[in-house]
Amino acid sequence: AGCKRAAFFAVYDGHAGHEAAEYLENHLLSYVLSAGADSLNSCPLAALQAAVNKAEQEITSKFSAARCNAGSTLLALLLVDDKLHIANVGDSRAVLVKGTEAQQLTRDHKPACSLEQRRIEADDPAAEISCDGYMYGEIAVARAIGSAHLKRDPSKRALIPTPDLISVQLSREDDFVVLATDGLLDKVNNTEVVQVARRTLATG
């Protein structure tokens, strides 16, 4: 792509069906690459933002017409030379590992998290969050791609597709990054993720 080193990794976690996660798996990379090599080098976060916006538009349009309510989280990592560029929508997580240290790079977008609670209260004061962390009685994330039935309901404005975007400068001491969904991270903490990853790598 016109740079020394480039790679793309992503995880998607579907809800209310597999369709949205599969659509992202099949299309998001092409949306990122459509930005062109110059943009990927000079404005990688803008390229990720544009790709996420495109995916949201396409899924909302196509799935609404098909009466499909599927949605998905999105965690995409674009490596360009020695920098990581990350787009995160939902409650999957990126953890950077350096030796025995685990640095959480992303924020989980769960309805009960304090930052998301404040945003939800501002966007939709009537939105209810249950004691087990579900919003509108059916969704356990505060941000998602798809879930068109919620987004087209004018009385429900708290679910958004807006990604958090961050860039991270890598150093020689950084070993690897783990991308994982809540299926793992609701069961183990970041330190345990590092331990499991290291054991797995040690066995080849």
Side-chain angles (χ1 to χ4, degrees):
C3 51
K4 297 177 184 176
R5 178 177 56 171
F8 180 81
F9 306 91
V11 294
Y12 314 110
D13 187 10
H15 49 262
H18 57 84
E19 294 88 351
E22 287 186 356
Y23 187 95
L24 291 168
E25 180 183 5
N26 292 330
H27 294 88
L28 188 68
L29 177 57
S30 65
Y31 295 161
V32 172
L33 293 176
S34 69
D38 290 342
S39 291
L40 290 178
N41 281 320
S42 62
C43 305
L45 290 183
L48 284 173
Q49 174 77 74
V52 172
N53 291 347
K54 174 72 170 175
E56 168 69 10
Q57 292 166 3
E58 291 295 312
I59 286 175
T60 300
S61 174
K62 295 178 187 299
F63 287 23
S64 292
R67 298 186 179 276
C68 177
N69 296 330
S72 180
T73 67
L74 180 159
L75 176 57
L77 184 153
L78 177 64
L79 173 66
V80 180
D81 295 335
D82 58 352
K83 276 191 175 182
L84 298 177
H85 308 283
I86 300 172
N88 180 46
V89 181
D91 59 0
S92 294
R93 187 184 306 167
V95 179
L96 176 64
V97 181
K98 180 187 302 185
T100 59
E101 297 178 8
Q103 178 187 356
Q104 184 170 324
L105 300 179
T106 56
R107 181 170 61 85
D108 301 347
H109 298 141
K110 292 184 179 292
C113 293
S114 58
L115 287 177
E116 288 303 305
Q117 274 190 326
R118 288 198 290 272
R119 180 192 62 76
I120 290 167
E121 289 169 0
D123 290 350
D124 184 0
E128 293 185 2
I129 301 172
S130 64
C131 59
D132 56 353
Y134 279 78
M135 185 168 65
Y136 301 128
E138 65 173 288
I139 192 162
V141 291
R143 305 189 190 197
I145 303 298
S147 299
H149 65 300
L150 293 174
K151 292 173 182 171
R152 65 173 174 257
D153 185 339
S155 70
K156 297 175 180 177
R157 304 184 302 276
L159 182 67
I160 62 173
T162 308
D164 282 342
L165 299 164
I166 63 166
S167 293
V168 179
Q169 177 67 57
L170 296 176
S171 69
R172 291 182 178 275
E173 290 73 33
D174 296 323
D175 293 326
F176 54 88
V177 178
V178 176
L179 307 182
T181 71
D182 66 325
L184 173 68
L185 297 168
D186 282 349
K187 303 296 183 183
V188 298
N189 61 35
N190 293 341
T191 299
E192 291 170 318
V193 167
V194 173
Q195 294 169 348
V196 171
R198 288 215 172 277
R199 285 199 300 269
T200 302
L201 290 170
T203 61

